[in-house]
Amino acid sequence: MASQLIDIGINLMHKSYNADRDQVVQRAADAGVTPLVITGSAERSSQEASAYASKFPGKLYSTAGVHPHDAKSCTPKTLDLLRSLASRPEVVAIGECGLDYNRDFSPRPVQDQWFEEQVKLAVELGLPLFLHERDAHPKFIEILGKYKANLPKAVVHCFTGNQYELDRYLRMGMYIGITGWICDERRGTHLRDLVKKIPLNRLMLETDGPFLTPRDMRPQPKEGRNEPVFLPHILNAVARATGKPPEEVAAATTTTTKEFFGIE
Ligand SMILES: [Zn+2]
């Protein structure tokens, strides 16, 4: 039996899984990758993630939130929806929410506003935050800083930043999610040094599937689709970078993840 791993960021409601979603979950479980935390990133995907996860108690969990790309579609009703989803047993975090000044699919002031609203909601409910930040570190810190005294546990998912940003997040008590970006020889090699500086009790692993298929995986999957069964590949890259045995990194990150989300 392979070590247990938990994929904390899988966009399982993405249409690329429509034809074989149940098998994707089963394949992962057969490889020891269980449970999975399905990322909700818009009103619709948050509802779908919760509904799907509720059919697999203890095996699937979900988050409820709106990604900065979709901030422009938020209304006051969005918060009511997220609040009601958050009361369900399978929903373990608020997010994915945050700031993305790299692609700017929503105007920045709109991103800022709806990020802050979701931070406030997590503070109110005492639920962990699942965070996205790209090219927006100063504003991101500024908004989180306003709630410093009451901030729940928070993970910066798919961390791709630099040492300064990492240090800042760790000092703020945040957790760090590492994806297959670390396997990318074009833009991820800096993460191989940085990941050594992340204590294992702050480190979690994720595929971010169907995106970010590890580029050095052979063979590459059909149509390039990433899925949770590939999480051991990311574990091995992290273990190599840190110089620790994969079993140790697996056990420690799994313990960290269970404590973070309050799951078994
Ligand atoms: Zn993200």
Side-chain angles (χ1 to χ4, degrees):
M1 177 68 194
S3 315
Q4 183 192 5
L5 290 176
I6 300 173
D7 189 347
I8 68 155
I10 167 66
N11 303 281
L12 194 61
M13 308 325 290
H14 189 273
K15 60 180 182 323
S16 65
Y17 299 120
N18 282 353
D20 63 347
R21 191 166 285 113
D22 291 2
Q23 290 95 302
V24 168
V25 174
Q26 191 56 49
R27 245 194 314 277
D30 291 345
V33 182
T34 184
L36 312 176
V37 183
I38 307 173
T39 307
S41 58
E43 288 192 16
R44 191 164 127 194
S45 66
S46 295
Q47 286 174 293
E48 289 175 350
S50 161
Y52 187 70
S54 71
K55 295 194 284 179
F56 302 82
K59 225 172 146 185
L60 296 180
Y61 296 93
S62 70
T63 71
V66 179
H67 192 283
H69 290 345
D70 267 303
K72 58 182 181 296
S73 67
C74 287
T75 70
K77 283 204 180 116
T78 307
L79 291 171
D80 297 337
L81 172 73
L82 297 181
R83 190 178 279 109
S84 96
L85 288 173
S87 70
R88 299 194 189 169
E90 66 279 0
V91 176
V92 290
I94 296 297
E96 169 170 14
C97 62
L99 302 175
D100 194 314
Y101 290 0
N102 178 277
R103 305 184 78 178
D104 283 320
F105 287 164
S106 291
R108 292 183 183 182
V110 176
Q111 292 190 40
D112 299 352
Q113 179 196 346
W114 290 103
F115 174 40
E116 183 161 354
E117 291 292 349
Q118 292 178 82
V119 171
K120 282 201 275 196
L121 182 63
V123 168
E124 173 197 321
L125 301 174
L127 272 179
L129 273 164
F130 187 86
L131 300 171
H132 172 106
E133 180 270 311
R134 185 88 6 101
D135 294 352
H137 179 77
K139 191 71 182 180
F140 186 77
I141 292 290
E142 181 192 316
I143 290 172
L144 289 168
K146 289 200 220 173
Y147 301 91
K148 201 162 53 193
N150 304 306
L151 207 61
K153 284 179 277 189
V155 57
V156 179
H157 113 96
C158 191
F159 176 77
T160 57
N162 59 33
Q163 168 142 21
Y164 171 81
E165 293 163 355
L166 177 64
D167 288 345
R168 193 92 182 266
Y169 291 144
L170 290 174
R171 265 190 282 122
M172 288 175 74
M174 301 220 258
Y175 293 69
I176 306 293
I178 294 289
T179 62
W181 196 284
I182 195 171
C183 303
D184 187 332
E185 78 292 349
R186 304 166 306 172
R187 57 183 185 175
T189 49
H190 70 294
L191 289 179
R192 296 175 198 169
D193 290 322
L194 290 184
V195 76
K196 290 181 217 159
K197 304 181 199 298
I198 307 172
L200 291 179
N201 63 3
R202 295 285 194 82
L203 176 64
M204 299 193 268
L205 304 176
E206 48 177 333
T207 58
D208 205 23
F211 316 112
L212 300 181
T213 304
R215 279 175 53 86
D216 59 352
M217 201 168 56
R218 297 292 176 272
Q220 283 282 297
K222 254 203 306 185
E223 273 122 48
R225 184 186 74 172
N226 198 5
E227 56 171 289
V229 73
F230 302 145
L231 197 60
H233 184 88
I234 298 168
L235 165 74
N236 287 332
V238 169
R240 257 195 322 275
T242 57
K244 296 192 172 91
E247 300 73 22
E248 184 186 335
V249 177
T253 54
T254 296
T255 300
T256 302
T257 303
K258 288 178 177 177
E259 286 173 4
F260 181 86
F261 289 108
I263 60 180
E264 261 318 299

